[in-house]
Amino acid sequence: MKKHHITLSVNGDDYDALVEPQQTLLDTLRDTLMLTGTKEGCATGDCGACSVIVDGTLQCACLMLGVEANGAKVETIEGMAKGEKLHPLQKAILEHNGLQCGICTPGVLMAAKALLERNPDPTETETRFWLAGNLCRCTGYDKLIKSVLVAAKEMRGA
Amino acid sequence: MAHDILDNSGFSADRKLKIVGTNPIKHDGWDKVTGAAKFSSDIVLPGMLVGKVLRSPHAHAVIKSIDTSAAEKLSGVKAVVTRADFPEIKEGTPYGDMTRMVIAREKVYHEGHPVAAVAATSESIAKRALKLIKVEYEVLPHVIDPVEAMKPDAPVLHAYMRTKGAKPGDAKVWADKASNVVERYELGVGDVAKGFAEAEFVVEHVYDTKPMHQGYIEPQSCVATASEEGEVELWCCTQAPFVYRDRLSEILKMDSSKIKVQQSELGGGFGGKTAFYAEPIAIQLARKARRPVKITFTRSEVFRGTGPVSGTQSRIKIGCRKDGTITAAEAELVFQTGPYSGSAFTNAPQAMFTRYDLPNVKTVSYEVVSNRPKVASFRAPCVPQVVFGVEDVMSELATKIGMDQIEFRLKNAMADGATTIYAEKFGKIGFIETLEAAKNCEHYKSPVPKGCGRGISTGFWFNRGGETSSSLQVAPDGSVTITLGTADVAGSRISISMMVAEELGIPVDKVRAVLADTHQLGFNRVTAGSRTTFSQGVVLVDCSRKVIKEMAGRAARIWKVPEEGVMFEDGMFRPASTNVGEFKPLSIADIAKQTTNTEGAIAARSDMNVTGAGPGFGCHIVDVKVDEETGFTEIVRYTVVEDAGKAIHPLQVEGQFQGGAVQGIGWALNEEYIFGTDGKMQNPGFLDYRMPVASDVPNIDTIIVEVPNPKHPYGLRGVGEVPVVPTMAAIANAIGNCIGIRPRSLPMSPPRLLKLLKEKKGKA
Ligand code: FES
Ligand code: FES
């Protein structure tokens, strides 16, 4: 199958990639660029494990084609910590045990980051509804939600 | 070999603890919040091929022929395998059945049953190759529902199968011809006829539950390689690396010593990753292609091809006196297992009433094959389904005799030393303490919110020990590595590291746990049944005590004093008394760095069949509100009360309680496999198979009860299974109290509740 040449920026780094026309952004990140932090749970847009931020908007990477990401600025979990310094959301999830197996964690973190960028002071209900697209089978959500609210508070400097 | 620690754990309630009972950050957490953690599907090897599986479109059919020639000719295809590439093992034997579930031989038994597989240089080529494989089927009549499958005229899956335990007088089973009933199992105690004669109140109902899926977010994935010498390496997400190795050895007819299974990080299992699926196929493809092969399932393959949980039908009857004393209980239980036996259904009759001290019990259970995917373990396998009915009957009885729900259960509760229906005599147990904690908690004492109904339910799980083999090494700098052959399903590495740090008197950051491959340790039983943190605690505390003894000996030789002259306290070796002499205390690091001038490396290993697991008990309290217009149930408030023996890492324990309860909420309200009349699953995706999302549930409150298990050095009991056991019954009771009519069928989804409400209105 003839491949297409795309260029994109991921976490501030420029990449060239050859992608098949039907190949998703998720497969492009994972298989072509070897950035495996973004996870696949369903490939149908129902679990949120593949959440990334494309040009400032939260997206399921499994619902977008690689060719559609040509020229885009993509943020993934690999770019969330700044060097040694964890993002407050990462820190809160660690401290409050907001993860068990950790497979949903990268997606949850990207989705929560997008939430706090839009709404720095979400209520618990708003947080639960915003993260309703991110399935977690381990935690029962309690400690996940708590972690996000704690991080939001810290980021507001409250 | 005898192990002292199994007889004398050294548990002391007065011991001052520094680390156990705190909440350090999980060591594996950093990699998991940064995307660096390596799950199976993240593994890439040079030259790696993509494997894809061709699955049956039919629920039941004879495979007449398979033609792979066109697929083999496609450019980029490096190997194709079918039944012909797997050793023949007789059907009706454990490994014969296992190999037929991996890849179909004579017949396909469910839609999604693997028939062939390819390995190719890209996923798109592999998919194209699957389309080129021609399979000729002779379609047979199928049966999905187990109660239908038990009927004499049902389509029979296995012509050779005769019911084990068939008994004249039971018309549901027969011994003289083929049947879909694998086994009839009877278990009881006392005389139920006499018991029911003594009862003043008797309640009896029929219940049914649907199969649900374990629902781990990480689909199965594995990478296999094969060397020219015939050695195989397998990376996979598994709860049972050693069990996989030994079963692979049986079905592929290879020595276990030539198979190395390396577990990766595990993206959820809940019992569902205790059995292999694509792993043997990936190995055969890799052997044929002479290149590494990776197979990763799609979500649809996970639903159609991997284990759901048994659905059940049960009839449950309990009788009691006016004062609340239960005089007899009886149950008849039917369990789905898929095409072959393996549901672990005997757990159910053993556990369903255990927590109540009952003099007269009779249970008859049936395991039934039908044309659906083979079931796999899930938290407390087969128990929550039947507790659903038991606790509904219990609640109705309590209401009938006008007794408080928890008081009624307390009245019949098992105490220390009670003997179970399966003839185990309990030691110290915490059921009464758990019920008392529930009774006295704020949630239970608070008034039921307006428009809501409240339900409670209880549950039990045996908890397990079993074969566990681990090692501990002290590095020259005094830091410690522990090597585990069990899997880490939810964060057990940190809890185990904490117990080692506590024993050695070093900070938990100085301990690192690594997940072994199967070449490194002796056999470890599957990580399931809430056994891991318990068993590893015993084994690694044993290792810790061994290295302390070794280091005390070295301190004695360095000081040139007798061994008894050295004591270990707070991480330091000191002279036991002033009589021994004046010596500067030595830390673990001080001794560890002298390996060159002492007796070499400091390490210990412990291999044992761990005993002494303490049973676990829980009680759930839930308030729900049902919208009578839509049939939608809102979980308004939820509290889990459970005995953990001792919470090593309380946040981890709470996480188990909360996660289990929310899985139960999904099972109670939404989750089920839906089959069409064509025998195909109609909802193999997360959109139509709806698991709870964050906005579906409230915070789950937790109360950790701690009645120590004296057989464990820190008093621990397993906590992973119990949290899902009471959930569906608690919710059903709450719904019943809210709408005045009790649901007895799962899931209690909006259409089902609307139907019940309509029936109620019709009657009114
Ligand atoms: S993998 Fe994209 S939503 Fe599930
Ligand atoms: S932590 Fe396992 S799925 Fe969320």
PDB file of all heavy atoms in Angstrom, chain A residues 20 30 39 41 90 97 99-101 124 128 137-138 141-143, chain B residues 26 33 41-42 124 213-214 299 652 654 671 692 694 699-700:
ATOM      1  N   GLU A  20       0.554   4.632   6.282  1.00  0.00           N
ATOM      2  CA  GLU A  20      -0.442   4.084   5.361  1.00  0.00           C
ATOM      3  C   GLU A  20      -1.702   4.956   5.457  1.00  0.00           C
ATOM      4  O   GLU A  20      -1.968   5.535   6.519  1.00  0.00           O
ATOM      5  CB  GLU A  20      -0.763   2.633   5.736  1.00  0.00           C
ATOM      6  CG  GLU A  20       0.413   1.694   5.478  1.00  0.00           C
ATOM      7  CD  GLU A  20       0.077   0.220   5.727  1.00  0.00           C
ATOM      8  OE1 GLU A  20      -1.093  -0.090   6.036  1.00  0.00           O
ATOM      9  OE2 GLU A  20       0.989  -0.606   5.615  1.00  0.00           O
ATOM     10  N   ARG A  30       2.538   5.130  18.144  1.00  0.00           N
ATOM     11  CA  ARG A  30       3.065   3.927  18.801  1.00  0.00           C
ATOM     12  C   ARG A  30       4.021   3.132  17.906  1.00  0.00           C
ATOM     13  O   ARG A  30       5.097   2.741  18.336  1.00  0.00           O
ATOM     14  CB  ARG A  30       1.923   3.008  19.252  1.00  0.00           C
ATOM     15  CG  ARG A  30       1.125   3.544  20.445  1.00  0.00           C
ATOM     16  CD  ARG A  30       0.014   2.565  20.831  1.00  0.00           C
ATOM     17  NE  ARG A  30       0.540   1.234  21.059  1.00  0.00           N
ATOM     18  CZ  ARG A  30       1.101   0.826  22.196  1.00  0.00           C
ATOM     19  NH1 ARG A  30       1.133   1.639  23.224  1.00  0.00           N
ATOM     20  NH2 ARG A  30       1.579  -0.395  22.297  1.00  0.00           N
ATOM     21  N   LYS A  39      -1.820   4.663  24.992  1.00  0.00           N
ATOM     22  CA  LYS A  39      -2.249   3.259  24.998  1.00  0.00           C
ATOM     23  C   LYS A  39      -3.473   3.009  24.129  1.00  0.00           C
ATOM     24  O   LYS A  39      -4.269   3.923  23.883  1.00  0.00           O
ATOM     25  CB  LYS A  39      -2.582   2.836  26.437  1.00  0.00           C
ATOM     26  CG  LYS A  39      -1.418   2.970  27.400  1.00  0.00           C
ATOM     27  CD  LYS A  39      -0.226   2.148  26.964  1.00  0.00           C
ATOM     28  CE  LYS A  39       0.984   2.358  27.864  1.00  0.00           C
ATOM     29  NZ  LYS A  39       2.224   1.894  27.245  1.00  0.00           N
ATOM     30  N   GLY A  41      -6.932   0.803  24.142  1.00  0.00           N
ATOM     31  CA  GLY A  41      -7.810  -0.090  24.896  1.00  0.00           C
ATOM     32  C   GLY A  41      -8.937  -0.630  24.035  1.00  0.00           C
ATOM     33  O   GLY A  41      -9.511  -1.670  24.336  1.00  0.00           O
ATOM     34  N   GLN A  90       0.431  14.414  37.651  1.00  0.00           N
ATOM     35  CA  GLN A  90       1.192  13.158  37.804  1.00  0.00           C
ATOM     36  C   GLN A  90       1.538  12.929  39.273  1.00  0.00           C
ATOM     37  O   GLN A  90       1.408  11.815  39.788  1.00  0.00           O
ATOM     38  CB  GLN A  90       2.474  13.228  36.965  1.00  0.00           C
ATOM     39  CG  GLN A  90       2.214  13.244  35.463  1.00  0.00           C
ATOM     40  CD  GLN A  90       3.478  13.527  34.658  1.00  0.00           C
ATOM     41  OE1 GLN A  90       4.186  14.500  34.912  1.00  0.00           O
ATOM     42  NE2 GLN A  90       3.764  12.678  33.676  1.00  0.00           N
ATOM     43  N   ASN A  97      -2.576   7.515  45.161  1.00  0.00           N
ATOM     44  CA  ASN A  97      -2.798   6.163  44.655  1.00  0.00           C
ATOM     45  C   ASN A  97      -3.942   6.137  43.621  1.00  0.00           C
ATOM     46  O   ASN A  97      -4.799   5.268  43.655  1.00  0.00           O
ATOM     47  CB  ASN A  97      -3.101   5.204  45.804  1.00  0.00           C
ATOM     48  CG  ASN A  97      -2.375   3.889  45.614  1.00  0.00           C
ATOM     49  OD1 ASN A  97      -1.216   3.877  45.209  1.00  0.00           O
ATOM     50  ND2 ASN A  97      -3.057   2.784  45.856  1.00  0.00           N
ATOM     51  N   LEU A  99      -3.766   5.281  40.736  1.00  0.00           N
ATOM     52  CA  LEU A  99      -3.572   4.272  39.694  1.00  0.00           C
ATOM     53  C   LEU A  99      -3.350   2.918  40.343  1.00  0.00           C
ATOM     54  O   LEU A  99      -2.800   2.817  41.434  1.00  0.00           O
ATOM     55  CB  LEU A  99      -2.396   4.618  38.779  1.00  0.00           C
ATOM     56  CG  LEU A  99      -0.977   4.615  39.329  1.00  0.00           C
ATOM     57  CD1 LEU A  99      -0.332   3.239  39.256  1.00  0.00           C
ATOM     58  CD2 LEU A  99      -0.131   5.583  38.523  1.00  0.00           C
ATOM     59  N   GLN A 100      -3.847   1.900  39.676  1.00  0.00           N
ATOM     60  CA  GLN A 100      -3.517   0.531  40.104  1.00  0.00           C
ATOM     61  C   GLN A 100      -2.657  -0.103  39.026  1.00  0.00           C
ATOM     62  O   GLN A 100      -1.447  -0.112  39.117  1.00  0.00           O
ATOM     63  CB  GLN A 100      -4.778  -0.256  40.419  1.00  0.00           C
ATOM     64  CG  GLN A 100      -5.387   0.181  41.761  1.00  0.00           C
ATOM     65  CD  GLN A 100      -6.603  -0.614  42.158  1.00  0.00           C
ATOM     66  OE1 GLN A 100      -6.767  -1.765  41.796  1.00  0.00           O
ATOM     67  NE2 GLN A 100      -7.490   0.005  42.917  1.00  0.00           N
ATOM     68  N   CYS A 101      -3.283  -0.624  37.951  1.00  0.00           N
ATOM     69  CA  CYS A 101      -2.459  -1.240  36.909  1.00  0.00           C
ATOM     70  C   CYS A 101      -1.742  -0.205  36.075  1.00  0.00           C
ATOM     71  O   CYS A 101      -0.702  -0.472  35.511  1.00  0.00           O
ATOM     72  CB  CYS A 101      -3.297  -2.161  36.036  1.00  0.00           C
ATOM     73  SG  CYS A 101      -4.279  -1.312  34.786  1.00  0.00           S
ATOM     74  N   GLU A 124     -16.456  18.387  41.616  1.00  0.00           N
ATOM     75  CA  GLU A 124     -16.266  16.939  41.502  1.00  0.00           C
ATOM     76  C   GLU A 124     -17.146  16.393  40.376  1.00  0.00           C
ATOM     77  O   GLU A 124     -16.705  15.555  39.583  1.00  0.00           O
ATOM     78  CB  GLU A 124     -16.611  16.235  42.820  1.00  0.00           C
ATOM     79  CG  GLU A 124     -16.253  14.763  42.740  1.00  0.00           C
ATOM     80  CD  GLU A 124     -16.940  13.898  43.773  1.00  0.00           C
ATOM     81  OE1 GLU A 124     -16.973  14.287  44.946  1.00  0.00           O
ATOM     82  OE2 GLU A 124     -17.443  12.827  43.366  1.00  0.00           O
ATOM     83  N   ARG A 128     -16.014  14.363  37.086  1.00  0.00           N
ATOM     84  CA  ARG A 128     -16.516  13.026  36.759  1.00  0.00           C
ATOM     85  C   ARG A 128     -17.089  12.982  35.343  1.00  0.00           C
ATOM     86  O   ARG A 128     -16.877  12.019  34.609  1.00  0.00           O
ATOM     87  CB  ARG A 128     -17.560  12.573  37.781  1.00  0.00           C
ATOM     88  CG  ARG A 128     -16.930  12.136  39.100  1.00  0.00           C
ATOM     89  CD  ARG A 128     -17.949  11.523  40.047  1.00  0.00           C
ATOM     90  NE  ARG A 128     -17.285  11.038  41.253  1.00  0.00           N
ATOM     91  CZ  ARG A 128     -16.746   9.833  41.381  1.00  0.00           C
ATOM     92  NH1 ARG A 128     -16.830   8.965  40.395  1.00  0.00           N
ATOM     93  NH2 ARG A 128     -16.138   9.483  42.495  1.00  0.00           N
ATOM     94  N   ARG A 137     -10.825   0.334  34.940  1.00  0.00           N
ATOM     95  CA  ARG A 137     -11.497  -0.831  35.505  1.00  0.00           C
ATOM     96  C   ARG A 137     -10.962  -1.157  36.895  1.00  0.00           C
ATOM     97  O   ARG A 137     -11.512  -2.007  37.584  1.00  0.00           O
ATOM     98  CB  ARG A 137     -11.289  -2.027  34.566  1.00  0.00           C
ATOM     99  CG  ARG A 137     -12.139  -3.245  34.868  1.00  0.00           C
ATOM    100  CD  ARG A 137     -13.642  -2.995  34.794  1.00  0.00           C
ATOM    101  NE  ARG A 137     -14.372  -4.216  34.507  1.00  0.00           N
ATOM    102  CZ  ARG A 137     -15.699  -4.287  34.480  1.00  0.00           C
ATOM    103  NH1 ARG A 137     -16.449  -3.224  34.740  1.00  0.00           N
ATOM    104  NH2 ARG A 137     -16.302  -5.416  34.187  1.00  0.00           N
ATOM    105  N   CYS A 138      -9.850  -0.517  37.290  1.00  0.00           N
ATOM    106  CA  CYS A 138      -9.210  -0.917  38.552  1.00  0.00           C
ATOM    107  C   CYS A 138      -9.666  -0.100  39.750  1.00  0.00           C
ATOM    108  O   CYS A 138      -9.903  -0.655  40.812  1.00  0.00           O
ATOM    109  CB  CYS A 138      -7.696  -0.761  38.462  1.00  0.00           C
ATOM    110  SG  CYS A 138      -6.874  -1.827  37.286  1.00  0.00           S
ATOM    111  N   TYR A 141     -12.627   4.772  40.285  1.00  0.00           N
ATOM    112  CA  TYR A 141     -12.582   6.222  40.015  1.00  0.00           C
ATOM    113  C   TYR A 141     -12.364   7.098  41.244  1.00  0.00           C
ATOM    114  O   TYR A 141     -11.921   8.238  41.117  1.00  0.00           O
ATOM    115  CB  TYR A 141     -13.841   6.706  39.262  1.00  0.00           C
ATOM    116  CG  TYR A 141     -14.043   5.997  37.948  1.00  0.00           C
ATOM    117  CD1 TYR A 141     -15.035   5.038  37.787  1.00  0.00           C
ATOM    118  CD2 TYR A 141     -13.199   6.257  36.868  1.00  0.00           C
ATOM    119  CE1 TYR A 141     -15.200   4.369  36.582  1.00  0.00           C
ATOM    120  CE2 TYR A 141     -13.363   5.588  35.655  1.00  0.00           C
ATOM    121  CZ  TYR A 141     -14.356   4.651  35.523  1.00  0.00           C
ATOM    122  OH  TYR A 141     -14.518   3.987  34.339  1.00  0.00           O
ATOM    123  N   ASP A 142     -12.674   6.613  42.419  1.00  0.00           N
ATOM    124  CA  ASP A 142     -12.624   7.446  43.620  1.00  0.00           C
ATOM    125  C   ASP A 142     -11.297   8.202  43.738  1.00  0.00           C
ATOM    126  O   ASP A 142     -11.253   9.427  43.785  1.00  0.00           O
ATOM    127  CB  ASP A 142     -12.857   6.525  44.834  1.00  0.00           C
ATOM    128  CG  ASP A 142     -13.023   7.284  46.122  1.00  0.00           C
ATOM    129  OD1 ASP A 142     -12.041   7.923  46.548  1.00  0.00           O
ATOM    130  OD2 ASP A 142     -14.122   7.246  46.718  1.00  0.00           O
ATOM    131  N   LYS A 143     -10.195   7.434  43.759  1.00  0.00           N
ATOM    132  CA  LYS A 143      -8.891   8.057  43.996  1.00  0.00           C
ATOM    133  C   LYS A 143      -8.386   8.818  42.768  1.00  0.00           C
ATOM    134  O   LYS A 143      -7.571   9.734  42.897  1.00  0.00           O
ATOM    135  CB  LYS A 143      -7.886   6.998  44.445  1.00  0.00           C
ATOM    136  CG  LYS A 143      -8.311   6.374  45.778  1.00  0.00           C
ATOM    137  CD  LYS A 143      -7.222   5.577  46.416  1.00  0.00           C
ATOM    138  CE  LYS A 143      -7.767   4.766  47.572  1.00  0.00           C
ATOM    139  NZ  LYS A 143      -8.530   5.550  48.554  1.00  0.00           N
TER     140      LYS A 143
ATOM    141  N   LYS B  26       3.998   4.045  45.111  1.00  0.00           N
ATOM    142  CA  LYS B  26       4.379   2.791  44.443  1.00  0.00           C
ATOM    143  C   LYS B  26       5.610   3.008  43.568  1.00  0.00           C
ATOM    144  O   LYS B  26       5.645   3.944  42.782  1.00  0.00           O
ATOM    145  CB  LYS B  26       3.247   2.368  43.499  1.00  0.00           C
ATOM    146  CG  LYS B  26       2.040   1.844  44.184  1.00  0.00           C
ATOM    147  CD  LYS B  26       1.291   0.898  43.247  1.00  0.00           C
ATOM    148  CE  LYS B  26       0.354   1.605  42.314  1.00  0.00           C
ATOM    149  NZ  LYS B  26      -1.014   1.634  42.784  1.00  0.00           N
ATOM    150  N   VAL B  33       3.055   6.985  35.316  1.00  0.00           N
ATOM    151  CA  VAL B  33       2.508   8.330  35.071  1.00  0.00           C
ATOM    152  C   VAL B  33       3.267   9.073  33.969  1.00  0.00           C
ATOM    153  O   VAL B  33       2.827  10.129  33.534  1.00  0.00           O
ATOM    154  CB  VAL B  33       2.463   9.212  36.350  1.00  0.00           C
ATOM    155  CG1 VAL B  33       1.531   8.615  37.385  1.00  0.00           C
ATOM    156  CG2 VAL B  33       3.847   9.465  36.920  1.00  0.00           C
ATOM    157  N   SER B  41       2.122  -4.870  24.853  1.00  0.00           N
ATOM    158  CA  SER B  41       1.948  -4.357  23.492  1.00  0.00           C
ATOM    159  C   SER B  41       2.976  -3.279  23.167  1.00  0.00           C
ATOM    160  O   SER B  41       3.052  -2.827  22.028  1.00  0.00           O
ATOM    161  CB  SER B  41       0.530  -3.817  23.313  1.00  0.00           C
ATOM    162  OG  SER B  41       0.351  -2.727  24.175  1.00  0.00           O
ATOM    163  N   ASP B  42       3.770  -2.855  24.147  1.00  0.00           N
ATOM    164  CA  ASP B  42       4.805  -1.841  23.887  1.00  0.00           C
ATOM    165  C   ASP B  42       6.122  -2.474  23.452  1.00  0.00           C
ATOM    166  O   ASP B  42       7.062  -1.773  23.084  1.00  0.00           O
ATOM    167  CB  ASP B  42       5.064  -1.007  25.158  1.00  0.00           C
ATOM    168  CG  ASP B  42       3.808  -0.298  25.640  1.00  0.00           C
ATOM    169  OD1 ASP B  42       2.942  -0.017  24.796  1.00  0.00           O
ATOM    170  OD2 ASP B  42       3.701  -0.039  26.850  1.00  0.00           O
ATOM    171  N   SER B 124      -1.487  -4.583   7.871  1.00  0.00           N
ATOM    172  CA  SER B 124      -2.415  -4.588   6.741  1.00  0.00           C
ATOM    173  C   SER B 124      -2.220  -5.831   5.871  1.00  0.00           C
ATOM    174  O   SER B 124      -3.189  -6.391   5.365  1.00  0.00           O
ATOM    175  CB  SER B 124      -2.323  -3.293   5.936  1.00  0.00           C
ATOM    176  OG  SER B 124      -0.991  -2.975   5.651  1.00  0.00           O
ATOM    177  N   HIS B 213     -17.834  -9.485  31.470  1.00  0.00           N
ATOM    178  CA  HIS B 213     -16.419  -9.639  31.144  1.00  0.00           C
ATOM    179  C   HIS B 213     -15.567  -8.960  32.210  1.00  0.00           C
ATOM    180  O   HIS B 213     -15.984  -7.945  32.766  1.00  0.00           O
ATOM    181  CB  HIS B 213     -16.100  -9.077  29.755  1.00  0.00           C
ATOM    182  CG  HIS B 213     -14.773  -9.561  29.237  1.00  0.00           C
ATOM    183  ND1 HIS B 213     -13.593  -8.939  29.554  1.00  0.00           N
ATOM    184  CD2 HIS B 213     -14.444 -10.642  28.485  1.00  0.00           C
ATOM    185  CE1 HIS B 213     -12.591  -9.605  28.997  1.00  0.00           C
ATOM    186  NE2 HIS B 213     -13.073 -10.645  28.342  1.00  0.00           N
ATOM    187  N   GLN B 214     -14.392  -9.538  32.449  1.00  0.00           N
ATOM    188  CA  GLN B 214     -13.457  -8.959  33.426  1.00  0.00           C
ATOM    189  C   GLN B 214     -13.173  -7.501  33.087  1.00  0.00           C
ATOM    190  O   GLN B 214     -12.949  -6.686  33.973  1.00  0.00           O
ATOM    191  CB  GLN B 214     -12.152  -9.767  33.437  1.00  0.00           C
ATOM    192  CG  GLN B 214     -12.273 -11.168  34.015  1.00  0.00           C
ATOM    193  CD  GLN B 214     -12.861 -12.182  33.050  1.00  0.00           C
ATOM    194  OE1 GLN B 214     -13.326 -11.861  31.955  1.00  0.00           O
ATOM    195  NE2 GLN B 214     -12.877 -13.436  33.458  1.00  0.00           N
ATOM    196  N   ARG B 299     -10.326  -5.101  20.808  1.00  0.00           N
ATOM    197  CA  ARG B 299     -11.330  -5.205  21.883  1.00  0.00           C
ATOM    198  C   ARG B 299     -12.403  -6.218  21.528  1.00  0.00           C
ATOM    199  O   ARG B 299     -12.881  -6.958  22.375  1.00  0.00           O
ATOM    200  CB  ARG B 299     -11.927  -3.820  22.156  1.00  0.00           C
ATOM    201  CG  ARG B 299     -12.939  -3.770  23.277  1.00  0.00           C
ATOM    202  CD  ARG B 299     -12.473  -4.332  24.613  1.00  0.00           C
ATOM    203  NE  ARG B 299     -11.263  -3.762  25.130  1.00  0.00           N
ATOM    204  CZ  ARG B 299     -10.696  -4.125  26.271  1.00  0.00           C
ATOM    205  NH1 ARG B 299     -11.249  -5.058  27.036  1.00  0.00           N
ATOM    206  NH2 ARG B 299      -9.560  -3.583  26.657  1.00  0.00           N
ATOM    207  N   GLN B 652      -3.842   1.243  49.098  1.00  0.00           N
ATOM    208  CA  GLN B 652      -3.976   0.110  48.179  1.00  0.00           C
ATOM    209  C   GLN B 652      -5.199  -0.727  48.548  1.00  0.00           C
ATOM    210  O   GLN B 652      -5.939  -1.190  47.676  1.00  0.00           O
ATOM    211  CB  GLN B 652      -2.732  -0.788  48.275  1.00  0.00           C
ATOM    212  CG  GLN B 652      -1.531  -0.251  47.567  1.00  0.00           C
ATOM    213  CD  GLN B 652      -1.606  -0.559  46.091  1.00  0.00           C
ATOM    214  OE1 GLN B 652      -1.692   0.344  45.275  1.00  0.00           O
ATOM    215  NE2 GLN B 652      -1.636  -1.831  45.749  1.00  0.00           N
ATOM    216  N   GLU B 654      -7.879   0.245  50.211  1.00  0.00           N
ATOM    217  CA  GLU B 654      -9.092   0.987  49.848  1.00  0.00           C
ATOM    218  C   GLU B 654      -9.350   0.889  48.354  1.00  0.00           C
ATOM    219  O   GLU B 654     -10.489   0.751  47.906  1.00  0.00           O
ATOM    220  CB  GLU B 654      -8.937   2.467  50.218  1.00  0.00           C
ATOM    221  CG  GLU B 654      -8.959   2.733  51.710  1.00  0.00           C
ATOM    222  CD  GLU B 654      -8.649   4.202  52.029  1.00  0.00           C
ATOM    223  OE1 GLU B 654      -8.681   5.053  51.102  1.00  0.00           O
ATOM    224  OE2 GLU B 654      -8.372   4.477  53.195  1.00  0.00           O
ATOM    225  N   GLU B 671     -23.890  -4.662  32.764  1.00  0.00           N
ATOM    226  CA  GLU B 671     -23.031  -5.502  31.940  1.00  0.00           C
ATOM    227  C   GLU B 671     -23.642  -6.867  31.659  1.00  0.00           C
ATOM    228  O   GLU B 671     -24.117  -7.534  32.570  1.00  0.00           O
ATOM    229  CB  GLU B 671     -21.675  -5.665  32.631  1.00  0.00           C
ATOM    230  CG  GLU B 671     -20.943  -4.349  32.748  1.00  0.00           C
ATOM    231  CD  GLU B 671     -19.593  -4.480  33.423  1.00  0.00           C
ATOM    232  OE1 GLU B 671     -18.919  -5.505  33.227  1.00  0.00           O
ATOM    233  OE2 GLU B 671     -19.232  -3.547  34.155  1.00  0.00           O
ATOM    234  N   PRO B 692     -19.037   0.783  33.983  1.00  0.00           N
ATOM    235  CA  PRO B 692     -19.242   2.071  34.661  1.00  0.00           C
ATOM    236  C   PRO B 692     -18.162   3.089  34.282  1.00  0.00           C
ATOM    237  O   PRO B 692     -16.981   2.745  34.202  1.00  0.00           O
ATOM    238  CB  PRO B 692     -19.131   1.723  36.140  1.00  0.00           C
ATOM    239  CG  PRO B 692     -19.387   0.265  36.230  1.00  0.00           C
ATOM    240  CD  PRO B 692     -18.900  -0.324  34.938  1.00  0.00           C
ATOM    241  N   ALA B 694     -16.804   7.295  35.126  1.00  0.00           N
ATOM    242  CA  ALA B 694     -16.648   8.100  36.350  1.00  0.00           C
ATOM    243  C   ALA B 694     -17.950   8.776  36.774  1.00  0.00           C
ATOM    244  O   ALA B 694     -18.239   8.912  37.958  1.00  0.00           O
ATOM    245  CB  ALA B 694     -15.544   9.135  36.157  1.00  0.00           C
ATOM    246  N   ASN B 699     -18.319   8.677  45.087  1.00  0.00           N
ATOM    247  CA  ASN B 699     -17.162   8.197  45.840  1.00  0.00           C
ATOM    248  C   ASN B 699     -17.588   6.941  46.583  1.00  0.00           C
ATOM    249  O   ASN B 699     -18.734   6.831  47.019  1.00  0.00           O
ATOM    250  CB  ASN B 699     -16.692   9.243  46.848  1.00  0.00           C
ATOM    251  CG  ASN B 699     -15.964  10.379  46.150  1.00  0.00           C
ATOM    252  OD1 ASN B 699     -15.236  10.144  45.190  1.00  0.00           O
ATOM    253  ND2 ASN B 699     -16.180  11.588  46.613  1.00  0.00           N
ATOM    254  N   ILE B 700     -16.674   6.018  46.721  1.00  0.00           N
ATOM    255  CA  ILE B 700     -16.995   4.782  47.435  1.00  0.00           C
ATOM    256  C   ILE B 700     -16.321   4.884  48.801  1.00  0.00           C
ATOM    257  O   ILE B 700     -15.087   4.901  48.888  1.00  0.00           O
ATOM    258  CB  ILE B 700     -16.464   3.547  46.669  1.00  0.00           C
ATOM    259  CG1 ILE B 700     -16.947   3.548  45.193  1.00  0.00           C
ATOM    260  CG2 ILE B 700     -16.823   2.256  47.393  1.00  0.00           C
ATOM    261  CD1 ILE B 700     -18.411   3.311  44.980  1.00  0.00           C
TER     262      ILE B 700
END
